[in-house]
Amino acid sequence: MSSEDRRAELAARLAKVRARIVAACEDAGRSRQEITLIAVTKTFPASDVAALARLGVRDVGENRDQEAALKAVAVAASGVDVRWHFVGQLQSNKCRSVATYADMVHSVDRLSLVTALDKAAARRGRPLDVLVQACLDPDDGPKRGGLPVPELPSLAAEVAARDGLRLVGVMAVAPLGADPAPAYRRLAEASGRLRETYPEAAVVSAGMTGDFEIAIRHGATHLRIGSALLGGRPPLG
Ligand SMILES: *Cc1c(COP(=O)(O)O)cnc(C)c1O
C-alpha cells in the first residue's frame, strides 16, 4: 500500500473512532473534552505514528520497550512530537529505557517498579506520570497485570511519596471473556476513593477497541485504542 493510501485509511478509521467517541459521550452525558484518545501503535511502523499525529492524534501507546524505544527515536527524527504512553507489562530492568521516551506509564503494579521508575525519572531530570494498574479479573481468571483493587491505595501512596513520580490515576484491562461493565464500574469506584486522598489522580485509563463505549459510560478518561485505528495485528502482536 502506498503511503498516501495508508494515510487515507488511517484518516477514515480515525474519523469512525472519533464519531463513536462523540456518540458514546453523548449517551453517557459526558463532555468529549474529558476524553483522551491514545493510539496503541504496537506492531505498526513509525510512519503510522507520524501519519496519525498529522491527523491530530497526539497520544501514542506502546506495550514493549524495545519496539517503543526504536519507534520513539524514528518518530522524533521525522519531526513529529507526540506523548508516549507505556501500557504493557513492565520489568524493572526496562524502566531506565522507558523513562527516556515515556510521558506516562500506565502499568505500575508493584513496588519494585515504583522504585526503578523513580530512579529512572531522577536520571532523566523530569518527573514521570504514573498510573497504578488494577486487576479486574475474577479470581480464577487469567492474569494480565495489575494488583487487586484493595491493594491499590498502598501502592498509590508509594508512588505519591517519590520525588520523581507523579501519581495521576488508575488503569485496567477488562477481564477476558467477561462483561466489562461491572469491571469498569469497580475501577471507577476505586478511582473515586483514590481521588479522596489524591485529587489530582484523575486519569482513568480504560477501554480498548472492543469495549471503549462501555468504558466511557463508566468514567474512562484515557482510551487505549489499537486495531480500530490501525487495523488487525498479526497474532501475538
Ligand atoms: C494492545 C493493547 C491495547 C489496544 O488493543 P485493541 O484491542 O487493539 O484496541 C490497549 N491496552 C493494552 C494494554 C494493550 O496491550
Side-chain angles (χ1 to χ4, degrees):
M1 191 187 295
S2 76
S3 62
E4 185 46 39
D5 287 350
R6 179 60 172 162
R7 199 206 65 84
E9 180 188 339
L10 292 172
R13 288 181 172 279
L14 177 61
K16 269 186 203 152
V17 168
R18 282 176 167 159
R20 285 172 62 186
I21 293 171
V22 167
C25 285
E26 275 168 15
D27 281 352
R30 298 184 61 195
S31 160
R32 171 67 179 87
Q33 312 308 317
E34 295 173 34
I35 308 290
T36 299
L37 168 61
I38 301 169
V40 179
T41 51
K42 62 191 183 198
T43 77
F44 292 97
S47 56
D48 281 355
V49 177
L52 283 167
R54 292 189 181 103
L55 293 164
V57 176
R58 288 296 168 186
D59 290 85
V60 175
E62 288 284 332
N63 73 334
R64 287 189 187 149
D65 171 60
Q66 204 179 355
E67 179 183 347
L70 291 169
K71 214 178 286 184
V73 168
V75 169
S78 72
V80 168
D81 189 27
V82 295
R83 284 173 52 84
W84 292 93
H85 296 256
F86 193 85
V87 303
Q89 286 181 259
L90 185 55
Q91 288 150 3
S92 296
N93 64 356
K94 304 288 187 194
C95 288
R96 183 175 178 173
S97 171
V98 167
T100 64
Y101 56 84
D103 295 286
M104 191 184 290
V105 177
H106 290 226
S107 44
V108 174
D109 62 359
R110 55 193 188 278
L111 188 56
S112 57
L113 292 177
V114 175
T115 303
L117 287 171
D118 182 46
K119 208 186 279 181
R123 189 177 282 116
R124 77 177 192 173
R126 185 162 62 90
L128 182 62
D129 288 351
V130 161
L131 305 180
V132 285
Q133 183 179 351
C135 174
L136 303 175
D137 285 317
D139 282 344
D140 56 349
K143 295 283 179 282
R144 289 180 297 162
L147 79 175
V149 167
E151 294 171 29
L152 286 181
S154 60
L155 192 70
E158 292 287 349
V159 173
R162 307 296 168 118
D163 289 337
L165 305 180
R166 284 199 302 232
L167 176 70
V168 296
V170 296
M171 177 271 209
V173 178
L176 277 175
D179 182 359
Y184 286 152
R185 213 174 290 130
R186 287 182 64 215
L187 184 67
E189 287 162 8
S191 167
R193 284 192 297 274
L194 198 65
R195 275 180 285 128
E196 290 171 11
T197 311
Y198 309 103
E200 66 287 0
V203 171
V204 179
S205 168
M208 308 182 8
T209 290
D211 62 17
F212 69 82
E213 281 102 341
I214 297 165
I216 288 172
R217 193 176 316 138
H218 294 287
T221 65
H222 287 56
L223 313 176
R224 307 180 311 267
I225 301 184
S227 40
L229 283 174
L230 290 129
R233 289 182 296 271
L236 298 179

